Amino acid sequence: DMVYKGKKPVHWCTHCRTAQAEAEVEYEPHVSPSVYVEFPLSEASLADAATRVPALAGRQVSVLIWTTTPWTIPSNLAVAFHPDFEYGAYDVNGTAVIVAKDLAASVAAKTGRSFDTLLATFPGASMERLVFRHPLYARDSLAVLGDYVTLEAGTGAVHTAHTRAHKWRRGAGTGRGGRVSAGDDDGRGRARGDRGGAPALRGQPSAGRPDSRHW
């Protein structure tokens, strides 16, 4: 067996400033809003995407994710697609928005946006290694494949923050040069420039990423 050195998320006590074992964690009721968030395709991947899905040529393209943990968005490094699911690109207000085809109707109903104009369909595997852009920060979000993606709810595209859950490590082979921890030892957001922190956590969204990315 190969021995390797890596990183994984651990439970952390912000009061004691130390790691905790699973048995030491006690949960209290907590409610977070669920949100839909658009991740635009990077300019560097536009030509590649058009080669894989010709109907995307010359269009603005984005993928829509749904999450029940919006506080993990700052740590995002990837968006996961199921390799075998069928995805659709829909014309939504002039942008080709990607969601799982089987979930398009429910996404339209919940967001109040029209997903009536289907531009193309393709397997999730065709999205692998395309590069999207973080909706808040000037950072890439890589398209990866994950067998944990389901069609039970959401959009069929999973916002992936490797430091926030063990299961996401299965899609963590992003090659992006490490993971992003958006909090310090006290549980507070890191400022720009802190080692391992998300950039501009207490600043403004980066240029070109308006608040409309949050549906």
Side-chain angles (χ1 to χ4, degrees):
D1 294 336
M2 181 178 67
V3 177
Y4 70 95
K5 180 180 180 180
K7 295 181 179 180
K8 71 173 184 179
V10 297
H11 297 290
W12 184 263
C13 176
T14 57
H15 175 73
C16 302
R17 295 168 61 90
T18 186
Q20 289 186 311
E22 183 79 31
E24 295 178 291
V25 177
E26 295 183 3
Y27 293 93
E28 295 182 358
H30 175 78
V31 176
S32 293
S34 62
V35 296
Y36 291 87
V37 184
E38 243 182 303
F39 283 67
L41 187 67
S42 71
E43 292 186 6
S45 282
L46 287 174
D48 193 4
T51 299
R52 304 181 192 192
V53 185
L56 299 182
R59 290 183 171 272
Q60 290 186 334
V61 181
S62 66
V63 61
L64 186 67
I65 67 92
W66 173 77
T67 180
T68 58
T69 56
W71 42 269
T72 65
I73 290 290
S75 296
N76 174 277
L77 287 179
V79 176
F81 298 80
H82 195 290
D84 301 326
F85 290 169
E86 184 178 31
Y87 290 81
Y90 296 83
D91 187 332
V92 182
N93 297 330
T95 298
V97 178
I98 298 169
V99 299
K101 191 169 182 289
D102 288 348
L103 292 172
S106 66
V107 172
K110 291 176 180 178
T111 63
R113 307 291 179 94
S114 172
F115 280 74
D116 293 335
T117 305
L118 178 63
L119 302 173
T121 59
F122 43 87
S126 65
M127 295 289 99
E128 186 177 19
R129 309 298 295 182
L130 290 180
V131 178
F132 293 87
R133 295 293 288 169
H134 196 285
L136 300 177
Y137 310 124
R139 187 170 75 230
D140 290 342
S141 183
L142 189 69
V144 299
L145 304 181
D147 59 4
Y148 53 85
V149 179
T150 74
L151 297 176
E152 295 177 1
T155 68
V158 177
H159 139 65
T160 303
H162 309 133
T163 60
R164 297 298 187 177
H166 289 280
K167 72 174 183 178
W168 289 340
R169 295 178 65 219
R170 284 180 282 170
T174 62
R176 307 309 294 176
R179 293 170 171 78
V180 172
S181 175
D184 61 15
D185 290 352
D186 295 314
R188 297 186 296 242
R190 295 178 187 267
R192 179 188 295 271
D194 285 358
R195 185 173 182 269
L201 265 179
R202 294 198 289 266
Q204 297 297 317
S206 57
R209 283 162 186 81
D211 291 341
S212 59
R213 292 296 178 192
H214 172 196
W215 285 34

